[in-house]
Amino acid sequence: MRCMDSDDKEIDIDKGELKNGTVVDDEKLIVKGIRFSLEQDGYEVDCAYDGEEAIEMAKKTEYDIVLLDVMLPKHDGFEVCQAIREFSDMPVIMLTAKGSDMDKILGLEYGADDYISKPFNILEVKARIRAIIRRSMKAKRQKKEEQANTYIGSGDLKMDTEGRRVFIGEKEINLTAKEFDLLELLVRNPNKVYSREALLNYVWGNKAMDSGDVRTVDVHVRRLREKIEENPGEPVYIHTKWGVGYYFKG
């Protein structure tokens, strides 16, 4: 049940905005009842009546919630849940007439997010849906923020700081460890001018400062420009502030 607007901003799932889910059960009266109740709350609901159909529908649509019965023709609910987990993290609530702890354990081990035994109260089902969607939305936001924090850059230059990879457009640029460290420092602090001494200290450490050989910085900047600049003589990314040092133009 989709709970994000077109700008990926969180919205209130209790106010009936359009959401998207599927109900999978071979008992059509149960499917009809759940579908009717959820649609009254503004949900957009698809239905499937066997495991094979459920898997195919899940491959075509990234649902915000899946209500999945255990006892299904062709593939049972455990097999459907396991198949979905091979390509998606969409939330799954398993529904079953069985109330044994073993069925609950199996459902969770196959990747279900929650478990409700039949007969159930539709109000409880709705409450579980809202709780799971909130958790799912929070996890997606955190993942998106983490991914955003690992990529930095400007223009065609992108750095994957976690994978320690650098790209100019679609082309990957091979850098040495120190070249990467130097570029990352400059990119993370755009338009900030660093003296050669400061760069030597930040990138190479105190021992390098003791020797005071700032030419090391100049050599690495020159090599970086040769690798990332289309015309090293007229740099786009790493600029020189004459008499001061270097900076990355953001």
Side-chain angles (χ1 to χ4, degrees):
M1 286 120 182
R2 293 193 176 97
C3 297
M4 306 296 286
D5 66 14
S6 60
D7 295 320
D8 283 338
K9 297 175 182 177
E10 186 177 1
I11 61 178
D12 188 347
I13 66 174
D14 293 319
K15 291 185 178 179
E17 288 86 352
L18 183 63
K19 308 141 192 143
N20 189 343
T22 186
V23 181
V24 187
D25 198 311
D26 61 336
E27 298 184 52
K28 293 189 177 181
L29 285 178
I30 291 179
V31 173
K32 183 178 180 181
I34 295 175
R35 180 177 188 174
F36 176 80
S37 184
L38 293 178
E39 286 179 341
Q40 295 304 301
D41 284 358
Y43 293 95
E44 184 180 82
V45 183
D46 292 335
C47 300
Y49 301 100
D50 63 59
E52 184 177 16
E53 184 181 14
I55 293 171
E56 290 305 312
M57 290 172 62
K59 287 180 178 178
K60 295 177 181 178
T61 304
E62 182 70 17
Y63 291 107
D64 296 290
I65 197 75
V66 177
L67 300 181
L68 177 63
D69 188 33
V70 170
M71 303 301 292
L72 293 171
K74 298 186 180 180
H75 298 290
D76 65 29
F78 300 131
E79 293 171 330
V80 174
C81 188
Q82 185 178 36
I84 288 175
R85 286 293 169 261
E86 292 178 359
F87 59 84
S88 175
D89 291 326
M90 66 179 76
V92 174
I93 298 178
M94 302 205 74
L95 307 173
T96 181
K98 298 178 181 179
S100 72
D101 289 339
M102 184 53 66
D103 284 327
K104 181 176 181 179
I105 291 169
L106 279 174
L108 297 175
E109 286 187 346
Y110 278 107
D113 297 272
D114 204 349
Y115 187 103
I116 300 176
S117 297
K118 297 177 183 178
F120 50 77
N121 186 318
I122 190 61
L123 296 178
E124 179 187 1
V125 174
K126 291 180 180 180
R128 299 281 189 95
I129 288 173
R130 287 194 293 268
I132 288 176
I133 287 178
R134 287 193 182 95
R135 291 201 300 269
S136 177
M137 289 164 56
K138 182 178 180 181
K140 287 179 180 178
R141 286 199 308 273
Q142 290 176 340
K143 184 176 181 180
K144 188 174 181 179
E145 289 170 359
E146 289 171 0
Q147 290 176 338
N149 290 336
T150 64
Y151 286 89
I152 57 176
S154 178
D156 289 337
L157 187 149
K158 294 290 182 294
M159 300 186 72
D160 174 3
T161 58
E162 187 172 308
R164 293 183 67 83
R165 304 172 71 188
V166 177
F167 298 87
I168 302 293
E170 298 298 321
K171 181 182 178 182
E172 183 170 0
I173 307 299
N174 294 318
L175 301 182
T176 66
K178 290 302 181 186
E179 287 170 351
F180 187 94
D181 293 341
L182 176 59
L183 182 60
E184 181 180 3
L185 175 65
L186 294 173
V187 172
R188 284 192 181 278
N189 300 275
N191 304 314
K192 179 177 179 179
V193 180
Y194 286 90
S195 68
R196 292 170 174 79
E197 291 77 12
L199 291 173
L200 196 64
N201 182 35
Y202 283 126
V203 178
W204 282 267
N206 294 330
K207 290 185 178 180
M209 276 297 297
D210 293 340
S211 67
D213 191 358
V214 295
R215 289 175 297 178
T216 299
V217 176
D218 294 331
V219 170
H220 278 73
V221 169
R222 175 173 56 80
R223 290 176 179 170
L224 263 178
R225 283 174 170 164
E226 290 173 352
K227 292 181 178 181
I228 68 173
E229 302 284 2
E230 185 174 349
N231 182 356
E234 297 180 3
V236 173
Y237 300 110
I238 301 179
H239 293 259
T240 302
K241 185 74 172 180
W242 296 108
V244 183
Y246 298 105
Y247 66 97
F248 180 86
K249 189 172 183 179

